[in-house]
Amino acid sequence: MGWENIFRRRVRVFTMALVIYFDYKAVQQREKWTSKSGHAALWEKAHERNAKRVLNLILEMEGLWVKLGQYMSTRADVLPLAYTRLLKLLQDSLPPRPLEEVYGTIQKELGKSMDEIFSDFVNEPLATASIAQVHRATLLNGKEVVVKVQHDGIKAVILEDLKNAKSIVDWIAWAEPQYNFNPMIDEWCKEAPKELDFNHEAENTRTVAKNLGCRNQSDRNMNANRVDVLIPDVIQSTEKVLVLEYMDGIRLNDLESLEAFGVDKQKIVEEITRAYAHQIYVDGFFNGDPHPGNFLVSKEFPHRPILLDFGLTKKLSSTFKQALAKMFLSSVEGDFVALLSALAEMGLKLRVDLPEQTMEVVTVFFRATTQANESYKTRKSLADQRTKNMKAIQEKMNLDQKEMKRFNPVDAFPGDIVIFGRVLNLLRGLSATMNVHIVYMDIMKPFAESVLSGYINKGPSVNDRWIFDSPVHSDVEAKLRQLLIELGKNDKVLGIQVCAYKDGEVIIDTAAGVLGKYDPRPVKSDSLFPVFSVTKGITSGMMHWLVDNGKLNLGENVANIWPGFGSNGKDAIKVHHVLNHTSGLHNAMTDITRENPLLMSDWDECLNHICKSVPETEPGKEQFYHYLSFGWLCGGIIEHASGKKFQEILEEAIVRPLHIEGEMYVGIPPGVESRLAALTVDTDDLRKLSGLTGRPDLPSSFQPQQIAQLATTLPALFNTLHARRAIIPAANGHLSARALARYYAALADGGKIPPPHSSASQPVLGSHPHTPKLFSSKKAPKNRKCFGRKELILPSTDNNPTGYEQVSSVEDLQDNSEGSSTNKDSNPRTRAAGKFFKNPKVIDEFLGVGEYENLALPGEGFGLGFKRFSSKDGSSIAFGHSGMGGSTGFCDVTHRFSIAITLNKMSFGGVTGKIVQLVCSELNIPVPDDFLRFAIEQGGPDEQLNMARPLIN
């Protein structure tokens, strides 16, 4: 290509880019002076004239610009109709090259005359594309083939076009910094030249055909993951000529022929998507150019996709392929922690601590397809979401408009993901063009799971580090670890922590397994587990702490403390009714959670709902488990009685006195994401639970069948950062077993703070430098008639700051060993032990016995906020609280014993029961009935008996 041609192409391309840019800028200005009813027409005309400009330029320039036009033509899901309609003409419909050029290339490359190669050669090309054109022919042996012939001089054109495209992208990034496409163009510049060597394409074609186990291949590969597609055999190849087996098929854009042959378009696109899922997740080697021109549909029944053109392929490393599968699956499950870990493994670095938006971005990435007629709605939705995200970033980082325009939240963008993203977008556009609806997550999930099956599910049988490497404190801990290994081998444990105190000393502190189904990082002593209703035991302790400090009276009417609560017949409800689950508001939150579970994260909305609720039974008469309402009832009382926030009281009453900083939260702050365990469900237990009959002690809206239904949805909800951030005082505790065991060890001694936790535990308990700063983005309105919060005046000192600390980054997730154990000296372990309850009869208060028995219903399961645990011989005083899924914490006052178990594979008592039974039996402590019933081997009639009362409270 001469310099004159190079200069001419550059001038034409840059001139057209400027014309289109300023045209759209002018439309933006005219829109301000046009009525809303005229906006659509204004933009439609602009899209039409600019689409024509783009098409004419591409037809003139050819080369790489045809590729760009083909890509744009497939994006019917997001591009205006004018572009996709006009640019479809570029799908193998370019003007053909002269036959003299075609013949010359073939004869030069193959070293023979046309008559020595073909018995017949069809001069009219089947298709003409950006790099080559294809002719049908018959070899001398009678085999029908297609001959792909590279355009003469196209290599120089493509390389020049890449330079021009790079320059335009650089200019756009300067003029409109929020549209920086440099990572995409850089990867394209690296990969596109590979298409110019047809030997490379021939080898790629053979590899993909073998990987997919296509039926027409000679090796007859029939592996279990084979997909039902066809790929032509390679007959011969050189750098510029490729001879392939001829396959008669219908083009995807020939909708009339597809209809005439009775082709199921939905099935075809699904099978193409499956083929790409196999290439990406199983093989790690995929075609990066799935535009409609690269597919046919076989005419004979069953109609199968025919995959063509493997010039642009991408090979992924095993590590990147696993990270890609992990990213996909974590987004499906809503497992935010695994998602950030996967992004870090892929090399994607974000510059801001807005990790909640990362899940939104990835969810958009894997969103289901939309049809072409919904493209405007899709574009608007994506634009609105982007505006919302960028506004949040601006507020978070305190950037002005100029700084925001130049801000890019992505610090490093891995090249491998660029082609992957291009493939997903092309497939999405293909679906829109054919007006079918594809749910990528459903189709791709099995393939992604197969990648990780040997990578993630490494239980104790194959992982000698499954038990976290920490000292064994006692003989009973050694036996416990053997039990955990047995449970792990039977797939009953994914990740778990167990900690126990006896006579004020730590006798067990064990962690084992992994943080999540798709997160193979090890569980450590300081990992944070969501524990559901175990949280109620912590909230109850806060209530009693306020009583102990004279801020609250058990016999006081709640309405006297909490303005507006007394409406709708609630004026007679007292504090002890709430703690004893006898307020009559056991179903108070049912409606709000059914209508929109996300409202559980809105503190004020939930307290308002409590205010408006109506009791179902007379206060103090009947005890029904307040499975959700308990938390917000207590939360509202705590904040109104103390004049402080719920989290502030948690820190003041429990966390700081017990020196468990960084390991007990109700609603996590930023900075701890890398330590979070992710929930999954034990499907065997769930199946058993769903078939059980009702329990009279539970509310009508919280019977076993409803619990089973909840268990299927709660992991996905509570794995999201949105839910984890929420203050849900009945269900959203995130803590370590050692923090919980220490809490109950203190309660067992009437509030006496135990000696420092074992220094053998690493990192040292309470050594985390992160301390949550109390912050609310919304100010409480004044003069509220029935709202959750009073207007609170919060101290603003160094010891009691007023905003959440922001210390996390994606890189933190790559630190699997030392990161969370830094700053050990910050733990003041020389602090003298004391008591955080002054009442000498506080244990009677917890249990609702002795002088407090008139405040609790006799013979019922709950005292004042805590579950009473009874043993067969009645020799022990024990109390605590368990949560749905199996986590638990309780203490035996008689034997000065406490234990906590946290786990992330939600079962309904079996695992927890066996652990408690082993530990108690080894220590000669009576096993509470709540756990004893799970200790026997399940099977036959006993199985139904044991499951009849699943461990949920």
Side-chain angles (χ1 to χ4, degrees):
M1 180 183 289
W3 282 107
E4 183 179 343
N5 283 334
I6 290 175
F7 180 74
R8 183 184 63 83
R9 291 178 72 86
R10 286 183 180 178
V11 170
R12 285 288 293 122
V13 169
F14 280 93
T15 300
M16 187 59 67
L18 285 169
V19 168
I20 293 173
Y21 175 75
F22 286 117
D23 189 351
Y24 278 122
K25 281 292 184 181
V27 172
Q28 286 180 341
Q29 293 301 316
R30 286 201 298 272
E31 187 182 39
K32 297 177 182 178
W33 309 102
T34 306
S35 64
K36 287 187 177 180
S37 60
H39 286 181
L42 188 68
W43 282 101
E44 283 177 13
K45 290 179 181 178
H47 294 323
E48 185 74 25
R49 63 176 173 268
N50 285 313
K52 288 178 180 178
R53 287 168 175 161
V54 170
L55 176 61
N56 291 333
L57 178 69
I58 290 173
L59 290 173
E60 178 187 342
M61 296 289 102
E62 297 187 351
L64 185 73
W65 302 109
V66 175
K67 284 282 186 187
L68 176 61
Q70 289 171 338
Y71 174 73
M72 294 171 67
S73 74
T74 65
R75 298 310 310 278
D77 56 326
V78 293
L79 283 179
L81 178 61
Y83 283 91
T84 57
R85 176 173 52 81
L86 289 171
L87 296 179
K88 278 181 184 178
L89 299 173
L90 299 172
Q91 294 175 10
D92 302 327
S93 299
L94 294 176
R97 291 298 178 99
L99 284 174
E100 293 79 6
E101 177 188 313
V102 173
Y103 288 171
T105 301
I106 293 174
Q107 292 174 146
K108 181 180 178 181
E109 290 291 307
L110 300 184
K112 297 179 181 179
S113 68
M114 297 293 288
D115 292 341
E116 290 177 299
I117 305 170
F118 307 107
S119 63
D120 182 48
F121 188 90
V122 180
N123 290 334
E124 183 72 24
L126 289 172
T128 303
S130 56
I131 292 176
Q133 67 187 43
V134 179
H135 291 260
R136 186 173 176 180
T138 306
L139 299 178
L140 293 178
N141 62 7
K143 187 172 185 64
E144 291 192 77
V145 296
V146 293
V147 185
K148 184 175 181 179
V149 185
Q150 191 172 120
H151 301 322
D152 190 32
I154 194 64
K155 184 173 183 178
V157 172
I158 291 291
L159 295 178
E160 174 60 23
D161 288 346
L162 284 171
K163 293 179 184 177
N164 292 340
K166 172 64 174 169
S167 298
I168 289 176
V169 167
D170 287 340
W171 173 68
I172 292 174
W174 174 81
E176 302 288 337
Q178 66 271 38
Y179 298 108
N180 184 358
F181 302 113
N182 269 299
M184 283 70 99
I185 195 65
D186 289 344
E187 183 67 12
W188 207 0
C189 288
K190 184 175 73 173
E191 296 294 334
K194 296 177 182 178
E195 291 190 83
L196 299 170
D197 185 348
F198 288 173
N199 284 317
H200 179 76
E201 180 176 343
E203 186 57 34
N204 292 342
T205 304
R206 294 187 186 102
T207 300
V208 174
K210 182 179 179 180
N211 289 343
L212 296 183
C214 296
R215 290 181 186 174
N216 57 304
Q217 296 302 313
S218 57
D219 60 8
R220 299 285 181 184
N221 187 341
M222 297 296 288
N223 64 73
N225 286 324
R226 181 183 55 78
V227 295
D228 198 13
V229 298
L230 301 173
I231 295 176
D233 276 327
V234 176
I235 309 300
Q236 188 177 2
S237 69
T238 70
E239 183 181 354
K240 296 182 179 180
V241 174
L242 178 61
V243 183
L244 298 167
E245 171 192 10
Y246 171 73
M247 286 186 167
D248 191 18
I250 311 164
R251 297 194 178 280
L252 290 187
N253 55 11
D254 187 356
L255 299 181
E256 290 184 5
S257 295
L258 292 174
E259 186 75 23
F261 277 86
V263 174
D264 185 339
K265 293 186 294 181
Q266 177 78 24
K267 181 181 177 182
I268 292 296
V269 180
E270 285 181 358
E271 200 59 40
I272 290 173
T273 304
R274 291 185 72 249
Y276 271 86
H278 192 295
Q279 291 175 66
I280 292 166
Y281 295 115
V282 178
D283 310 322
F285 186 79
F286 61 94
N287 178 8
D289 197 20
H291 69 78
N294 286 343
F295 299 102
L296 299 174
V297 179
S298 62
K299 292 182 178 179
E300 68 278 3
F301 185 85
H303 306 290
R304 290 182 285 169
I306 302 171
L307 277 55
L308 308 171
D309 193 349
F310 294 89
L312 177 61
T313 56
K314 187 68 182 176
K315 184 172 180 60
L316 304 175
S317 68
S318 177
T319 301
F320 193 89
K321 181 178 69 173
Q322 291 164 352
L324 201 60
K326 184 173 165 183
M327 178 186 76
F328 172 77
L329 291 167
S330 60
S331 69
V332 173
E333 296 286 321
D335 184 348
F336 168 77
V337 178
L339 172 65
L340 281 190
S341 175
L343 293 178
E345 291 167 16
M346 292 163 61
L348 183 68
K349 296 181 180 180
L350 306 179
R351 294 175 54 194
V352 293
D353 179 30
L354 288 172
E356 58 268 36
Q357 292 186 5
T358 306
M359 180 63 78
E360 292 181 12
V361 170
V362 176
T363 301
V364 169
F365 199 50
F366 292 114
R367 70 189 186 276
T369 63
T370 52
Q371 296 182 356
N373 57 10
E374 298 174 355
S375 63
Y376 173 77
K377 183 178 178 181
T378 303
R379 290 198 310 274
K380 188 175 187 307
S381 175
L382 293 176
D384 290 346
Q385 185 61 53
R386 188 181 190 282
T387 300
K388 176 184 173 184
N389 289 346
M390 296 307 287
K391 184 177 180 181
I393 290 172
Q394 183 176 5
E395 292 176 353
K396 192 91 170 181
M397 300 190 69
N398 195 27
L399 303 175
D400 60 31
Q401 288 294 335
K402 186 176 180 181
E403 291 171 325
M404 194 63 216
K405 189 176 181 181
R406 298 284 169 187
F407 178 77
N408 187 352
V410 178
D411 197 38
F413 203 96
D416 286 343
I417 203 173
V418 172
I419 302 297
F420 170 71
R422 183 171 184 266
V423 166
L424 274 192
N425 285 334
L426 284 167
L427 289 174
R428 182 172 287 109
L430 177 64
S431 304
T433 300
M434 298 186 71
N435 285 320
V436 296
H437 182 71
I438 302 297
V439 182
Y440 289 113
M441 290 187 173
D442 291 346
I443 295 176
M444 291 186 166
K445 185 177 181 182
F447 294 93
E449 285 182 327
S450 70
V451 178
L452 297 180
S453 59
Y455 170 62
I456 294 292
N457 299 326
K458 290 187 176 180
S461 299
V462 294
N463 183 3
D464 57 3
R465 297 176 66 88
W466 191 76
I467 298 283
F468 186 67
D469 186 16
S470 60
V472 177
H473 295 77
S474 62
D475 291 341
V476 66
E477 183 169 20
K479 293 180 180 180
L480 168 68
R481 293 187 179 193
Q482 290 303 311
L483 173 61
L484 294 181
I485 289 173
E486 178 187 332
L487 292 169
K489 288 179 178 178
N490 293 328
D491 198 29
K492 301 304 292 182
V493 169
L494 182 64
I496 194 167
Q497 297 169 324
V498 183
C499 184
Y501 279 71
K502 181 73 172 71
D503 298 324
E505 297 292 333
V506 177
I507 59 168
I508 297 172
D509 191 2
T510 289
V514 294
L515 287 175
K517 184 178 179 181
Y518 303 122
D519 190 347
R521 293 177 299 144
V523 173
K524 301 180 184 179
S525 298
D526 65 336
S527 298
L528 299 173
F529 282 71
V531 293
F532 290 109
S533 287
V534 172
T535 315
K536 291 185 179 70
I538 297 166
T539 300
S540 298
M542 295 162 63
M543 292 277 284
H544 287 285
W545 183 84
L546 289 174
V547 171
D548 201 63
N549 282 272
K551 301 288 186 181
L552 190 63
N553 190 315
L554 292 171
E556 190 173 1
N557 288 339
V558 175
N560 292 343
I561 306 164
W562 182 350
F565 175 83
S567 62
N568 297 326
K570 298 191 295 297
D571 53 301
I573 296 175
K574 300 181 183 297
V575 172
H576 67 82
H577 295 143
V578 170
L579 286 169
N580 192 228
H581 294 265
T582 58
S583 76
L585 297 173
H586 38 280
N587 288 318
M589 301 303 297
T590 303
D591 292 342
I592 197 171
T593 54
R594 283 177 180 169
E595 292 169 6
N596 183 2
L598 294 178
L599 287 177
M600 284 192 295
S601 63
D602 189 326
W603 176 269
D604 288 326
E605 181 62 32
C606 289
L607 294 190
N608 289 339
H609 204 81
I610 289 289
C611 285
K612 297 172 185 176
S613 62
V614 180
E616 296 180 43
T617 58
E618 185 181 346
K621 297 299 183 182
E622 295 182 77
Q623 188 175 93
F624 289 105
Y625 182 44
H626 288 39
Y627 60 101
L628 270 180
S629 54
F630 180 87
W632 284 296
L633 283 164
C634 290
I637 294 170
I638 287 169
E639 291 205 343
H640 285 87
S642 67
K644 298 180 180 180
K645 292 184 178 181
F646 181 90
Q647 289 169 295
E648 189 175 3
I649 296 299
L650 174 62
E651 290 285 314
E652 186 177 349
I654 299 174
V655 173
R656 288 199 293 270
L658 290 175
H659 318 322
I660 54 176
E661 290 88 346
E663 295 189 33
M664 180 177 284
Y665 299 105
V666 178
I668 64 161
V672 303
E673 292 86 0
S674 63
R675 292 192 284 130
L676 297 178
L679 293 165
T680 188
V681 178
D682 187 320
T683 53
D684 290 338
D685 270 16
L686 185 64
R687 187 177 61 254
K688 297 167 189 173
L689 182 62
S690 61
L692 298 180
T693 55
R695 281 180 51 180
D697 59 317
L698 294 177
S700 59
S701 58
F702 198 62
Q703 290 297 312
Q705 289 187 343
Q706 283 92 352
I707 297 169
Q709 185 177 0
L710 272 175
T712 62
T713 57
L714 284 180
L717 175 61
F718 275 78
N719 283 338
T720 66
L721 191 63
H722 183 76
R724 289 180 185 268
R725 290 262 195 263
I727 312 301
I728 307 176
N732 207 24
H734 285 74
L735 41 84
S736 65
R738 63 183 185 174
L740 183 61
R742 184 169 176 80
Y743 169 65
Y744 276 108
L747 296 190
D749 268 353
K752 182 180 178 182
I753 298 172
H757 190 85
S758 170
S759 60
S761 296
Q762 296 298 327
V764 176
L765 179 62
S767 64
H768 280 280
H770 174 270
T771 302
K773 297 182 178 182
L774 308 169
F775 171 76
S776 174
S777 60
K778 293 190 297 185
K779 293 183 178 180
K782 298 180 180 179
N783 302 321
R784 303 171 79 172
K785 294 182 179 178
C786 182
F787 287 84
R789 275 189 214 277
K790 288 194 258 184
E791 183 152 10
L792 306 179
I793 300 174
L794 301 178
S796 181
T797 67
D798 290 340
N799 294 326
N800 200 7
T802 58
Y804 260 144
E805 230 175 58
Q806 186 174 307
V807 298
S808 69
S809 66
V810 177
E811 289 89 340
D812 294 339
L813 291 153
Q814 295 173 304
D815 182 6
N816 293 335
S817 53
E818 296 87 20
S820 57
S821 61
T822 57
N823 199 22
K824 294 176 186 175
D825 293 336
S826 66
N827 185 30
R829 306 192 59 76
T830 58
R831 285 181 285 189
K835 291 190 68 174
F836 65 110
F837 283 106
K838 299 183 289 290
N839 181 5
K841 296 183 179 180
V842 72
I843 290 174
D844 288 351
E845 183 182 320
F846 296 154
L847 291 165
V849 298
E851 66 182 62
Y852 299 93
E853 64 181 350
N854 63 319
L855 303 182
L857 285 181
E860 294 293 343
F862 283 97
L864 295 180
F866 295 94
K867 181 73 168 59
R868 299 162 171 168
F869 290 140
S870 59
S871 57
K872 287 189 178 298
D873 59 10
S875 61
S876 295
I877 299 172
F879 62 90
H881 218 294
S882 300
M884 183 166 65
S887 294
T888 194
F890 73 89
C891 60
D892 185 320
V893 179
T894 307
H895 296 88
R896 296 188 67 212
F897 166 75
S898 72
I899 188 170
I901 301 167
T902 57
L903 42 80
N904 58 357
K905 187 167 189 176
M906 295 173 60
S907 60
F908 296 92
V911 169
T912 311
K914 288 182 179 180
I915 292 171
V916 171
Q917 193 270 341
L918 170 70
V919 174
C920 289
S921 297
E922 290 292 322
L923 298 174
N924 293 316
I925 295 172
V927 181
D929 290 345
D930 278 58
F931 305 99
L932 185 62
R933 68 178 184 271
F934 292 101
I936 65 171
E937 289 296 325
Q938 295 188 14
D942 288 331
E943 181 176 56
Q944 190 72 9
L945 174 65
N946 294 336
M947 289 298 297
R949 288 182 59 83
L951 188 65
I952 56 174
N953 57 69

